Amino acid sequence: MDKGIGIAGIAGRMGRLLTEEVAAAGARLAGGIDRSGSGVAGAALFPDIAALAAGSDVVVDFTHASTAIPHARAVAAAGTAWVLGTSGLSAADETAVAEAARHVPVVYAPNFAPGVNLVLALAEKLAAALPAEQYDAEIVEMHHRQKVDAPSGTAIGMGRAVAKGRGVRLEDVAESGRDGHTGPRKTGAIGFAALRGGQVVGEHTLLFAAATEHIALSHRAFDRRAFATGAIRAALWTQGRPPGLYSMMDVLGMR
Ligand code: NAD
């Protein structure tokens, strides 16, 4: 790697940890950008995403969903790999991410912690084995009070894993934000509930509830460094890869 790793959102909670993890991995930090205009001591601050993409071998991006489309265009134009951790992307944002992946390697994951990716693999297997008519899938997540999107990207990732195991589209069966007179639960629905409070880094439980038994898969992240370590591992992994849309499962060699 000649230019090094660039960080979009360098002054954020994740951005600061990412700069530390670049050093811990013995890699070179190219610098970063941040909407706040502030950076991190010792790191170059670039004027915009185009300059960051041109000055980096790979951009690690933990910012805000509103950046997805311009950032996708910038990394594709610069031919720079992209590790995208931002959550709350719309369908149009995800189309732009997929378009960028036609030109550069993109690792896009709702959660870069290795343990969560094992949980997602198990979720898909359980969903394939447990009939949707008998086992109601419900996903409960809790995060810190500053989180701006709900359900979390990881919760949606869990929902996608269940939907894939059941051979359905999440968009057709998702039920979230139940309130008021909702009527009985639809057979085959995948339910979401989001709790917000305190400084919870990330808690997710996937419950399969049947009349005679409950099965729960839970993951708790105690330190967001787990995401930063995984994201830098993904950044190093992109080097020399062909263009494509990859997930953390690819980085971990789980498929
Ligand atoms: P944060 O608010 O602490 O940091 C975000 C930073 O991005 C801020 O410093 C902000 O100024 C900057 N920013 C926002 N818009 C920008 C723009 N247009 N250009 C440049 N910088 C911009 O948030 P955080 O806790 O670090 O999380 C950031 C994102 O990453 C969120 O979407 C969060 O849900 C997601 N996240 C994903 C994972 C994962 O493993 N995939 C883990 C943790 C957080």
Side-chain angles (χ1 to χ4, degrees), residues 9 11-15 33-36 62-64 67 71 85-87 109-112 147 149 224 227:
R13 278 175 295 244
M14 283 300 299
I33 53 166
D34 201 281
R35 189 180 51 182
S36 66
F62 284 72
T63 50
H64 186 272
T67 68
H71 286 198
T86 305
S87 62
N111 192 310
F112 280 90
K147 185 159 177 66
D149 54 307
R224 34 174 82 73
F227 313 129

Side-chain angles (χ1 to χ4, degrees), residues 9-12 16 33-40 45:
I10 195 164
R16 289 173 187 279
I33 53 166
D34 201 281
R35 189 180 51 182
S36 66
S38 53
V40 167
L45 201 56

Side-chain angles (χ1 to χ4, degrees), residues 29-238:
L29 180 66
I33 53 166
D34 201 281
R35 189 180 51 182
S36 66
S38 53
V40 167
L45 201 56
F46 287 80
D48 55 30
I49 184 66
L52 180 68
S56 310
D57 296 300
V58 49
V59 170
V60 181
D61 188 342
F62 284 72
T63 50
H64 186 272
S66 59
T67 68
I69 292 175
H71 286 198
R73 288 191 187 130
V75 293
T80 303
W82 192 24
V83 172
L84 178 60
T86 305
S87 62
L89 270 59
S90 67
D93 295 334
E94 290 194 335
T95 301
V97 174
E99 173 57 26
R102 293 178 51 234
H103 305 279
V104 294
V106 178
V107 183
Y108 172 43
N111 192 310
F112 280 90
V116 156
N117 289 278
L118 290 167
V119 167
L120 294 179
L122 282 172
E124 187 179 329
K125 281 198 182 359
L126 282 173
L130 302 170
E133 303 73 39
Q134 291 159 33
Y135 289 82
D136 298 330
E138 291 285 312
I139 296 161
V140 185
E141 56 103 335
M142 180 161 187
H143 282 85
H144 51 89
R145 61 167 73 104
Q146 294 89 354
K147 185 159 177 66
V148 294
D149 54 307
S152 70
T154 304
I156 294 168
M158 276 182 160
R160 290 218 167 109
V162 173
K164 193 166 173 210
R166 288 179 171 177
V168 297
R169 274 167 26 101
L170 179 62
E171 293 69 22
D172 297 336
V173 295
E175 265 186 30
S176 53
R178 295 187 189 109
D179 188 21
H181 188 81
T182 58
R185 190 181 197 285
K186 288 194 201 81
T187 302
I190 299 174
F192 291 89
L195 283 67
R196 293 289 173 265
Q199 290 304 329
V200 175
V201 171
E203 297 185 359
H204 294 87
T205 295
L206 165 62
L207 179 67
F208 289 99
T212 53
E213 62 176 357
H214 284 187
I215 304 165
L217 271 181
S218 288
H219 181 274
R220 277 191 193 146
F222 299 115
D223 189 331
R224 34 174 82 73
R225 193 174 292 278
F227 313 129
T229 313
I232 297 304
R233 181 167 166 179
L236 297 172
W237 181 90
T238 57

